[in-house]
Structures are given as C-alpha cells and as structure tokens.
Amino acid sequence: MLRLTSQIVRNQNSLVAINASRCLATAAKLNEAPPKKPKADKAIAPNKSFVANFFRGKVESSQVFPYPYNLTEEERETLSMVIDPVTRFFVDVNDPLKNDDAANIDQNTMDALWELGAFAIQVPTELGGMGANNTQYGRLCQIVGANDLGVGITIGAHQSIGFKGILLYGTDEQKKKYLPQLSTGKVGAAFALTEPASGSDAASIRSRAVLSPDGKHYILNGSKIWISNGGWANIMTVFAKTEVTDPNTGEKKDKITAFVVERGFGGVTNGPPEKKMGIKCSNTAEVYFEDTKIPVENVLGGVGNGFKVAMNILNNGRFGMAASLSGTMAACIKKAAEHASNRVQFGKKIEEYGAIQEKLARMALHQYATESMAFMISSNMDAGSKDYHLEAAISKVFASESAWFVCDEAIQILGGMGYMKQTGLEKVLRDLRIFRIFEGSNDILRLFVALSGIQFAGAHLKELQRALKNPANNLGLLFKEVSKRAYRKAGIGGVDFTGSVDSSLADSAKLIGQSIDAFGQTVESLLVKYGKNIIDQQFLLKCLADQAIDIYASACVLSRCSRSIEQGLESVEHEKLLTKAWCTEAAERFISNNKKIHDTRYTTIYPKYTQISKNICAAQGVANSNPLNV
Ligand code: MYA
C-alpha cells in the first residue's frame, strides 16, 4: 500500500524553504535570473472534498455548510409512504433472534422482503425498483440497521455492492437485461472480489479471464472467498485479471476487469454457508469459477478498468453502512434508556447516577455525529458530487467503531440483562464486529484517508514550489501563500466559520477552526520531514486519519445543528448540547493526536512497538515468561 504515495511530491526537502520570509527571498532571487521553463505537470484536478482540502489547512465548505437540505417535498412524501410498511415488516414478519438461531432467513420472510421492494431500493422505477435516491436509501437503511443487521447485509450485499456496478457502469443493454430480474424476479446478486490470497490488497487477485480465440467470450477461472449471498446469488459482479495491450506501446499487461457473471454460464459453484460470529442469517460462501464462459458484452466498465470499478462501487455504498449503523445505535440507546429509567439500585433509578449519565450522553454523541455524517454524504452524492470518497471512508470507519462502542455501553448499562440473549444486544454486538473488518478494513481505510489527503496536499505544495521558480507569473498565488503564513506566524487569521455556523456555536466552531489550522501545518511538516517515505510511517498516518475523522465529524455536527437552529426544530436545545460536547471532546482528541505525531515522549514509543511486535512474532506468541517462571 499504496502506490499513490509514489506520486507524492518528490524532493520534499526543498519545501522547507516555504515560509513567509524565505518565500519572498527565494522569489526575489529567482527574479534575478530568467526562470527555467517549468516542467509540465499534471494539473491538480479541482476537488470539492472538505476532507481533502483540510489536509492543506484550507476550508472548502461547499459540501459541508450549510447542511444540505436532504429531500424535496415529493421525495419526503414518497419516503414516508415506504417507511410505514418497512417498519411493519420488522414488527410483524421478521424475527431477528430466530434468523440468528437458524443462521438463515426463511422463505416467508425473504418473500416479504422481495414484495416490499427491499432488494431494489435504488433501481429506477422503470426497471422495476423503488427509484430512491441516496438520502431516501439511507433513511431506509437506518430502519433496517435498527432491527436486523443480518437482514441488512443480505439486502445490502445484493444492491449496495452486488449489482451497484450495473447501476453505475452498466450499458443500457446490461441495465435492461439484469436490473428488472434483480429487482422483482427474486434473483440475487453478489460482489465477488476477495480471494484466499487477496483481502485488503485488492489489486493482487489471481482469478483470470482469458479472451477466446474468436474474441466472443472470456473464459474465467478462479475462486473467491467470503462472498455475501455467494450461496444463492445467480448474478455476480466478478473481478479477474485480464491481459490488456497498451495501444501506444503494444506492451501487454495484466489488469483487472469487472464482469457480470450469470450462474447459468456454467462452471459456477459454491461452498457451504460459512459459520460466523455474527450476521449469521446472511449467507456467506466461497464461489468457484471453472472455465466459465462470459460473453464479451458482459464486461462492466471497460476492459482493464476493474480496479477503479471495484473501488468506486465500494466508495458509493459506504455511506449506507453509516446510515444503517446510526439506526443500530439509536436502537441500542433506546434499550439502554428504557432500562436506565426503570432500574432502581441503591434507592435511586440508575439514570440518576453520573456514571450512567456519562455513558448515555457519549452514546448519543456518537449516534448524532454518525447520522449527521451519513446524511451529509448522501445529500452531496444526490447533488451530483464526485468528491466524496474520503468522507465515505471516514463515515464507514467512524460508524463501525461508534456502533461497537454504543452497543457495548448499552450492554454495560443493562448489566447481566444485557448479556442475556433474549435482550437482543449480544446478537447486535456479534453482528457489529464484522463492520470494522469488511468493505475495506478500518486500518486500511485509515491509511487510504491519510495517504490520499497527503497526496492532495503534496500536489498543492508542489504547485507552490513550481510557482517559486517562476514568481513573475505567479504573484497572486505567492502573495496569498506568503500572507497566510505571515498571519499564521503572528497568530492572527486562520480558519474562521463565522457566517457558516450559528453564533451560539461560535466557541465550538473556533475549536475546529484551530484544529484545521494545526492539521494543515502538521501535514506540511510531515511532508517536509519524510517526503514520499511518509508511506512507511503508519503510526503517524493513523494519528492523521484519526484527526481527520474528528475534524470531519465536528464539521458535520456543527453544520447540522446550525440548520436545526435555523429551522427551529423542537430538539434544538438538545442538539446544541450534543454539538458543544462533541466538539470539545473532538478538539481534545485532536490535540492528543498532535502530540502523538510531534512529541518525542510519544514518538519514541513507536520503535518500541515495532520491536515488541517483532519479538512476539519471532516467539510466535507472548515473548516473556510468566511471573512464576514455571
Ligand atoms: S467486499 C471486499 C472489500 N474489499 C475492500 O474493500 C478492499 C480494500 N482495499 C482497497 O480499498 C484498495 O486495495 C486500497 C488501494 C485502498 C488498499 N477510490 O496504488 P493504489 C485508485 C477511488 O493506492 P493499492 C466486502 O467486504 C488510486 O487513486 N480510487 O492501490 C463485502 C490509484 O489511481 P491512479 C481509488 O495500493 C462486505 C489506483 O486506484 C481508491 O493497490 C459485504 C491505485 O491505487 C478508492 N477508494 O490499494 C458488505 N483506492 O492510478 C455488504 C485506490 O489513477 C454491504 N484508488 O492514480 C452492505 C452495506 C449496506 C449496509 C446495510 C446494513 C444494514
């Protein structure tokens, strides 16, 4: 991981020169001699991502402030018409504990889900689906997440990744052929990427598809593991290596291609359902392809483009996980609150004890932040944004860790009762564990966020470096940069959210402004210090990702609360409390992470971690003897 860092600014040491005084001095010096023609470089693509931009200490607020107004009146009405039957399905038909015990969803329940249209929420109505946008889909995901995550994965694997490629990249013919049967024909879909030797390193898959001599088919061989719906899906989006010839050089290379594969093409088999810790009712199986003959028309998104197709399918669906888990958290909070306001111990309801109050409050902070993020992202996607990948990755990491925390705390509040199966929380905790692992493990997504952000900031620094070589043509850019740095040095200016955030939240907004300022400086200092070798600094990259998560969550919360104030929502005072408490906590964590990056009291721990880990691996377990030495 990750090839992208190879593009991070080369010769980073020269960036040390970028500060207010040296910038001017360098500019003046360069003015004496005729500037060399700058080397042509790829222009930096415009990027509206709030997260990518704050990696260079800049606020690009268009996707965050004001909080996007989610739905039109008509969309809201359509959604409310669907909410009722979906809710009733979970009350009247679905039994999560029965599904869990049986490790299966019975036919009646599956039929009811198909009848609800739950397998085709975002398919256009003319192709048999519900025609929901991302925000409407997210709201329905919340209900599913509040009730049964196993059912959620069954319908999610089908549409969020299984056939999402056809929606995003399919030709008209592919859409017309496949989407109606996947929407109403009770035909299941699956997404087949992971292989025995290829998990997080998705580019290393070994399945191979070879073009037939007549050029009409690809012959696919390979095996996939842990495929959700793999035991019953009849249509799969499958990724395999194909030989691609570079049209310019004639060079042959292996590149990944995505295919729509029907079980009926032949040679497709699957293993038995995997026995899992959680989401037991969702089917997970190995899938094997042996000389499977795929018509060339079933290539999805172009030959050789499969890696991008896979990444973008995953990017596109990640906010759905955040939406679902905000529903899960709400359900856990409900159980915890009901218990806390009824259970009497030591003569008082336990809700009156500070220890319980802190738990409930912090559970609510995480739920509010996750929900604010999920619908911020869905609304931006609905508005046509293409720059949401980092935000979506953050939402998946944040939601999965928050939901784990919230469910665990709910169990703690319920005590012995929480540990009992009948309460339903132990199933939720088991179900939740996988969310930190699949769809891009949280560790990998943290690196993805940090390195992508650094790459973006690095490209801008490189631009500045080029401008310094040719100051006459770049006066505007240079003076802007020089004054920004001079103001920063004098402790004035910096990121200011006045006007974007309600004045009653100004103190909280100031905290995240300070974090963004400090973050831009931290990223720049790391680029200067490590250059492209930053890729090897995973201890630091994790801290950066955590800082990015805290800043983004704070911005979402501030923006949502400001909108609630503007709309005069009933819950406004409660939301203000959540927002203020969240921003204070997040700012404190930010400072602590900055110490972990800059302060030698922390950074000297990292080589120790490395050595301890090496010792453990060498010993194949605990590397010290027990205190009794027997
Ligand atoms: S499905 C399996 C999930 N598997 C993964 O997520 C794999 C994780 N691995 C990766 O994401 C990649 O391999 C990483 C890149 C990130 C490690 N968006 O050199 P590179 C571009 C756009 O960095 P690598 C499952 O779990 C990059 O810019 N582009 O790549 C099912 C570069 O482009 P260029 C991206 O080092 C669970 C090129 O690719 C992205 O190999 C079931 C190469 O980049 C990106 N993200 O590693 C869930 N990443 O060449 C059910 C890279 O142009 C769902 N690139 O510069 C249910 C949901 C609903 C919930 C409902 C519940 C109720």
Side-chain angles (χ1 to χ4, degrees):
M1 166 138 201
L2 296 159
R3 259 193 308 123
L4 57 80
T5 42
S6 63
Q7 299 155 17
I8 291 175
V9 192
R10 282 161 198 90
N11 298 327
Q12 291 290 347
N13 286 341
S14 55
L15 291 168
V16 179
I18 304 169
N19 64 38
S21 53
R22 287 169 96 174
C23 189
L24 284 174
T26 316
K29 208 167 150 204
L30 281 167
N31 262 341
E32 289 162 13
K36 277 189 199 153
K37 202 171 166 221
K39 224 172 93 192
D41 252 301
K42 240 173 47 180
I44 304 170
N47 191 335
K48 295 279 173 210
S49 160
F50 180 73
V51 174
N53 278 286
F54 69 58
F55 268 82
R56 57 187 189 112
K58 182 174 181 280
V59 171
E60 165 54 67
S61 60
S62 59
Q63 294 200 140
V64 174
F65 298 110
Y67 195 81
Y69 194 77
N70 315 107
L71 297 173
T72 63
E73 265 321 301
E74 197 187 333
E75 286 166 346
R76 194 179 300 277
E77 235 168 71
T78 325
L79 178 61
S80 18
M81 280 170 9
V82 189
I83 284 181
D84 185 46
V86 173
T87 310
R88 266 194 286 117
F89 162 83
F90 282 109
V91 175
D92 300 338
V93 182
N94 191 62
D95 181 343
L97 293 184
K98 183 175 152 216
N99 294 343
D100 188 57
D101 274 344
N104 185 32
I105 306 174
D106 66 37
Q107 200 52 50
N108 254 353
T109 311
M110 283 296 274
D111 288 345
L113 279 167
W114 281 105
E115 270 154 41
L116 269 177
F119 281 95
I121 299 173
Q122 292 196 270
V123 175
T125 45
E126 62 275 18
L127 293 172
M130 227 185 247
N133 62 19
N134 292 297
T135 302
Q136 291 168 313
Y137 172 77
R139 180 68 190 94
L140 296 175
C141 279
Q142 275 194 306
I143 302 173
V144 179
N147 287 285
D148 194 339
L149 287 168
V151 167
I153 294 307
T154 304
I155 61 174
H158 175 81
Q159 59 202 309
S160 179
I161 52 176
F163 69 69
K164 181 62 78 61
I166 302 179
L167 268 179
L168 295 178
Y169 292 98
T171 59
D172 282 349
E173 289 70 30
Q174 288 170 339
K175 286 181 183 167
K176 278 185 204 138
K177 180 169 180 192
Y178 290 113
L179 292 178
Q181 37 176 326
L182 290 161
S183 301
T184 54
K186 300 194 178 178
V187 174
F191 177 85
L193 174 65
T194 305
E195 297 185 0
S198 164
S200 291
D201 183 4
S204 68
I205 55 169
R206 293 183 188 163
S207 292
R208 171 166 285 279
V210 179
L211 193 59
S212 62
D214 63 5
K216 289 188 175 159
H217 291 90
Y218 278 91
I219 309 298
L220 170 66
N221 280 286
S223 61
K224 302 284 178 179
I225 54 167
W226 304 324
I227 304 305
S228 298
N229 297 348
W232 66 281
N234 277 335
I235 294 172
M236 306 185 199
T237 303
V238 182
F239 299 87
K241 288 268 168 73
T242 50
E243 191 178 80
V244 178
T245 309
D246 186 316
N248 300 319
T249 63
E251 193 191 345
K252 289 183 184 343
K253 257 191 181 168
D254 274 354
K255 287 188 126 189
I256 296 176
T257 297
F259 298 94
V260 180
V261 178
E262 298 178 30
R263 202 177 273 269
F265 288 164
V268 183
T269 51
N270 60 268
E274 300 287 356
K275 292 185 176 14
K276 310 188 291 283
M277 174 185 194
I279 56 163
K280 289 189 181 191
C281 71
S282 95
N283 173 278
T284 311
E286 294 189 6
V287 180
Y288 317 105
F289 303 96
E290 201 183 339
D291 292 332
T292 301
K293 216 170 147 190
I294 313 167
V296 287
E297 306 83 79
N298 278 35
V299 166
L300 191 59
V303 176
N305 297 332
F307 189 74
K308 283 273 164 82
V309 170
M311 292 302 115
N312 285 329
I313 291 172
L314 293 164
N315 290 334
N316 191 278
R318 283 191 179 122
F319 84 93
M321 230 176 231
S324 307
L325 296 179
S326 71
T328 313
M329 285 184 249
C332 293
I333 291 169
K334 186 173 172 9
K335 282 198 167 121
E338 281 167 3
H339 183 79
S341 50
N342 285 307
R343 177 81 167 164
V344 176
Q345 289 291 278
F346 307 107
K348 278 204 279 191
K349 288 183 177 171
I350 64 168
E351 67 172 4
E352 291 176 44
Y353 295 111
I356 300 292
Q357 289 165 351
E358 183 182 341
K359 283 191 199 305
L360 284 171
R362 298 197 67 241
M363 289 156 76
L365 298 184
H366 282 81
Q367 195 276 340
Y368 187 70
T370 305
E371 194 177 64
S372 306
M373 243 185 223
F375 289 101
M376 173 85 82
I377 298 167
S378 71
S379 300
N380 285 325
M381 289 168 74
D382 287 337
S385 167
K386 298 274 175 275
D387 301 325
Y388 59 81
H389 304 159
L390 301 187
E391 285 79 356
I394 284 179
S395 77
K396 187 270 180 185
V397 173
F398 183 75
S400 56
E401 290 173 9
S402 295
W404 179 262
F405 164 75
V406 167
C407 182
D408 185 53
E409 288 290 66
I411 291 175
Q412 191 70 16
I413 289 173
L414 271 96
M417 217 95 81
Y419 198 66
M420 295 300 128
K421 212 169 172 176
Q422 207 47 39
T423 310
L425 285 170
E426 70 84 38
K427 170 191 179 291
V428 177
L429 195 74
R430 278 190 287 107
D431 287 350
L432 280 173
R433 190 58 189 87
I434 190 63
F435 284 77
R436 285 153 57 196
I437 299 171
F438 66 12
E439 271 224 352
S441 79
N442 287 8
D443 313 272
I444 282 293
L445 290 182
R446 277 191 164 86
L447 294 176
F448 168 66
V449 168
L451 287 172
S452 303
I454 286 177
Q455 184 193 22
F456 185 71
H460 279 274
L461 280 176
K462 196 174 177 188
E463 187 182 61
L464 199 59
Q465 209 176 19
R466 276 201 307 275
L468 280 165
K469 288 182 187 153
N470 188 4
N473 289 346
N474 295 290
L475 282 177
L477 174 67
L478 289 176
F479 276 115
K480 224 162 110 187
E481 197 56 37
V482 167
S483 26
K484 188 177 101 185
R485 284 155 200 272
Y487 278 129
R488 189 195 278 165
K489 226 174 169 186
I492 42 179
V495 171
D496 181 4
F497 289 105
T498 316
S500 301
V501 167
D502 186 84
S503 57
S504 63
L505 304 172
D507 287 348
S508 302
K510 201 169 161 196
L511 291 176
I512 90 153
Q514 287 165 348
S515 298
I516 292 175
D517 267 335
F519 191 66
Q521 292 174 52
T522 291
V523 170
E524 192 175 303
S525 70
L526 290 178
L527 271 169
V528 168
K529 185 167 176 191
Y530 294 104
K532 64 181 178 177
N533 296 328
I534 187 70
I535 190 177
D536 301 321
Q537 303 298 320
Q538 292 198 356
F539 296 113
L540 303 179
L541 293 170
K542 179 186 173 288
C543 296
L544 278 185
D546 285 339
Q547 290 183 309
I549 291 170
D550 268 323
I551 294 174
Y552 185 57
S554 303
C556 292
V557 159
L558 276 167
S559 175
R560 174 179 173 185
C561 187
S562 297
R563 196 189 77 170
S564 301
I565 295 169
E566 192 187 304
Q567 292 184 330
L569 297 191
E570 250 177 56
S571 58
V572 104
E573 291 308 319
H574 179 68
E575 291 189 45
K576 277 190 199 173
L577 292 171
L578 293 172
T579 302
K580 289 176 183 178
W582 175 265
C583 289
T584 305
E585 276 197 3
E588 284 305 313
R589 266 193 308 270
F590 179 90
I591 292 166
S592 152
N593 273 311
N594 235 22
K595 283 190 193 146
K596 289 181 189 164
I597 292 170
H598 296 296
D599 189 329
T600 48
R601 274 178 306 169
Y602 291 87
T603 53
T604 48
I605 300 176
Y606 304 141
K608 295 188 178 76
Y609 288 161
T610 300
Q611 192 53 51
I612 292 168
S613 161
K614 280 184 178 167
N615 295 346
I616 291 169
C617 290
Q620 292 287 284
V622 174
N624 46 285
S625 59
N626 70 56
L628 309 177
N629 210 17
V630 281

